Amino acid sequence: MKYRITLDSGEAFEVAHDEDTLLRGALRAGVGLPHECSVGGCGACRFELVEGSIDTLWDEAPGLTERDRKRGKRLACQSKPAGDCTIRVRCDESYRPVVPASKRTATLKARRALTSDMSEFTFHVPEHAHFRAGQYALLYPRAAHGARAYSMSNVPNGEGLWQFIIRRVPGGAGSNALFDAIDVGEQIVLDGPYGHAHLREDSTRDIVCIAGGSGLAPMLSIARGALAQPGTRRLRFYYGARSQADLSALDAVHALAAEHPQMSVDVVLSAPTPTPPWQGEMGFVHTRVERDLAASLAAHEFYFAGPPPMIEAVQEMLMLRHRVPFEHIHFDRFV
Ligand SMILES: Cc1cc2nc3c(=O)[nH]c(=O)nc-3n(C[C@H](O)[C@H](O)[C@H](O)COP(=O)(O)OP(=O)(O)OC[C@H]3O[C@@H](n4cnc5c(N)ncnc54)[C@H](O)[C@@H]3O)c2cc1C
């Protein structure tokens, strides 16, 4: 059974009963409903219910403030229609999905430790892995409630491989379930692809990738995708990490740079340990980017991913201080 969702603009789409949230139904139908994280954290998919009935999956989702709740706002990613509905939300072309998302069963093929708390996960789906470099998928670990968003670190491929770099978050239900409660050979639901911070293949601008912590995965994907294209546009890869213990996660990035002379890699540590000695830069990664490129920032295509404070600092630097046009800025905030 399907429910019909009508936007107050007149556009309409259908959502499968008991299967999809309003957000995923809209995106599957090619409707540009605003969204960012897809898991209740950011609030970008807020809407108003004009008529009809909705079941809420996660009442306390942090994407809504108390004020939002009092004003009757809801999150499309946490709403399952319980009948036909009319909703008020401003859709935007830029949110229309570039690749239609679908749910599949994926098998964990390998889990490889990169650092003490980050591992590369390789899942296999028996069909072409169809996504754009820089996008993410939702994984449903059985031992946790709800879905978690993880960015692919590889590029689209015919072998059906979806790779992720995942950090184990202390006390985090989803990430710990992926490390501890799924063995190689076991299956999980993978829904995707999602996200609009994907590689713009038609741009000829030099590229800057800025990764913070586990934001490494989508930046590695963007770098792999960009360097596979013909041409020699420059790619500057900046990584902001805490300490030397995080550096082994960069092996794949250094290997890529060794093959492509137009790629450079710079690392900034925010809290280096006394040993082994750190000769490199200390501080925050956005400060380094600003210093290196101040005169030419507006001429680049920017991709960045990582924790919210890093995203805000980079946005402020690019948009407010250097007036980089918004269409050349692409990012994912790991809420
Ligand atoms: C677009 C995007 C891409 C990301 N890519 C990566 C990546 O490549 N690598 C990486 O390590 N991390 C990534 N993250 C972060 C990742 O999605 C998780 O937030 C992180 O792993 C912590 O999850 P956790 O379950 O361990 O922690 P928790 O604190 O248990 O949960 C974290 C988030 O999961 C959601 N959640 C929690 N409880 C529920 C519930 N009951 N129902 C529904 N949702 C719930 C909420 O959004 C919450 O903020 C990404 C996040 C986003 C938004």
Side-chain angles (χ1 to χ4, degrees):
M1 199 206 310
K2 291 190 169 178
Y3 294 132
R4 188 176 173 80
I5 311 299
T6 309
L7 307 181
D8 60 354
S9 62
E11 200 174 354
F13 61 93
E14 289 186 332
V15 179
H17 168 62
D18 223 25
E19 202 175 298
D20 268 334
T21 60
L22 212 142
L23 174 63
R24 288 205 276 284
L27 297 180
R28 277 191 227 297
V31 173
L33 202 150
H35 64 284
E36 228 183 80
C37 77
S38 301
V39 288
C42 73
C45 63
R46 271 190 301 257
F47 72 98
E48 265 174 70
L49 180 64
V50 178
E51 207 182 328
S53 166
I54 294 270
D55 292 330
T56 301
L57 296 178
W58 187 20
D59 286 319
E60 306 82 33
L64 285 181
T65 60
E66 270 322 300
R67 189 156 174 259
D68 288 331
R69 288 193 172 85
K70 280 192 189 126
R71 294 168 69 199
K73 302 271 184 197
R74 294 161 185 271
L75 295 176
C77 71
Q78 300 301 322
S79 295
K80 274 194 173 177
D84 293 349
C85 295
T86 304
I87 63 170
R88 183 169 300 134
V89 62
R90 190 172 300 161
C91 291
D92 187 314
E93 274 302 303
S94 63
Y95 289 103
R96 253 182 225 283
V98 283
V99 178
S102 60
K103 259 188 192 167
R104 326 142 162 96
T105 302
T107 306
L108 180 62
K109 296 295 279 184
R111 183 170 38 219
R112 184 168 67 92
L114 303 179
T115 67
S116 60
D117 62 356
M118 280 206 268
S119 288
E120 179 190 73
F121 289 68
T122 303
F123 290 93
H124 178 255
V125 176
E127 63 188 57
H128 193 104
H130 193 33
F131 57 85
R132 293 276 174 88
Q135 287 195 291
Y136 67 90
L138 300 178
L139 299 180
Y140 287 77
R142 263 195 294 270
H145 285 293
R148 298 295 185 274
Y150 293 104
S151 307
M152 281 70 83
S153 59
N154 62 337
V155 289
N157 59 86
E159 294 84 56
L161 298 179
W162 297 67
Q163 285 185 314
F164 304 90
I165 296 174
I166 300 180
R167 183 193 285 280
R168 185 198 280 272
V169 175
S175 58
N176 281 282
L178 288 166
F179 277 85
D180 301 330
I182 302 175
D183 288 329
V184 170
E186 287 185 356
Q187 294 187 323
I188 189 171
V189 173
L190 182 156
D191 183 5
Y194 293 103
H196 21 267
H198 54 82
L199 178 66
R200 295 332 196 239
E201 291 184 349
D202 50 357
S203 167
T204 53
R205 291 170 155 242
D206 285 348
I207 291 179
V208 178
C209 291
I210 310 170
S214 51
L216 188 58
M219 294 304 103
L220 185 52
S221 175
I222 294 276
R224 284 172 163 154
L227 294 169
Q229 287 186 290
T232 53
R233 61 178 168 155
R234 261 205 92 171
L235 192 148
R236 293 178 170 85
F237 197 104
Y238 290 93
Y239 187 53
R242 281 171 309 200
S243 73
Q244 294 90 323
D246 299 321
L247 297 180
S248 50
L250 282 178
D251 288 354
V253 175
H254 289 303
L256 200 59
E259 280 170 33
H260 297 276
Q262 71 270 41
M263 176 175 176
S264 60
V265 184
D266 287 283
V267 181
V268 180
L269 297 185
S270 58
T273 47
T275 50
W278 172 243
Q279 315 289 358
E281 183 139 353
M282 270 174 65
F284 290 119
V285 67
H286 68 280
T287 314
R288 170 66 189 267
V289 177
E290 186 169 26
R291 204 181 61 224
D292 283 0
L293 301 174
S296 62
L297 273 171
H300 291 81
E301 199 78 40
F302 285 89
Y303 299 91
F304 46 105
M310 184 203 102
I311 299 298
E312 271 137 43
V314 177
Q315 267 183 302
E316 193 187 309
M317 187 256 294
L318 296 179
M319 288 153 83
L320 299 182
R321 291 207 291 282
H322 294 277
R323 308 258 172 238
V324 177
F326 191 63
E327 65 267 28
H328 299 303
I329 297 180
H330 318 283
F331 61 91
D332 271 325
R333 190 192 325 257
F334 285 14
V335 291

